[in-house]
Amino acid sequence: MRISIVTPTLNAAGFLDDCVRSVRRETSAGIELEQIIVDGGSTDETLDIARHHGCVIVEEQDDGIF
């Protein structure tokens, strides 16, 4: 079974590493985990961290959550 976790980000370098590691710790036998990072245009190291962990990255500029 494949489970996809979608994590929206914007300049999330300060906590993304911990977030990805936390998600990865929740896996169990027979589960394939995919973490998708949807980034709103980060200007920090957010995307580098996501790439380091092998996350799927979707880059989309937006007007914010609201």
Side-chain angles (χ1 to χ4, degrees):
M1 176 189 319
R2 173 180 255 184
I3 295 176
S4 297
I5 305 294
V6 178
T7 306
T9 61
L10 179 62
N11 295 325
F15 64 86
L16 186 59
D17 186 70
D18 288 340
C19 175
V20 173
R21 290 177 189 274
S22 176
V23 168
R24 302 274 165 94
R25 283 191 299 265
E26 297 302 321
T27 61
S28 61
I31 303 284
E32 180 184 346
L33 186 66
E34 168 187 59
Q35 189 160 13
I36 302 169
I37 304 299
V38 179
D39 187 75
S42 292
T43 56
D44 62 2
E45 293 80 31
T46 296
L47 298 178
D48 293 332
I49 294 166
R51 284 185 195 99
H52 171 76
H53 286 288
C55 298
V56 175
I57 299 171
V58 177
E59 296 180 69
E60 292 187 7
Q61 292 283 351
D62 59 28
D63 295 325
I65 292 175
F66 302 103

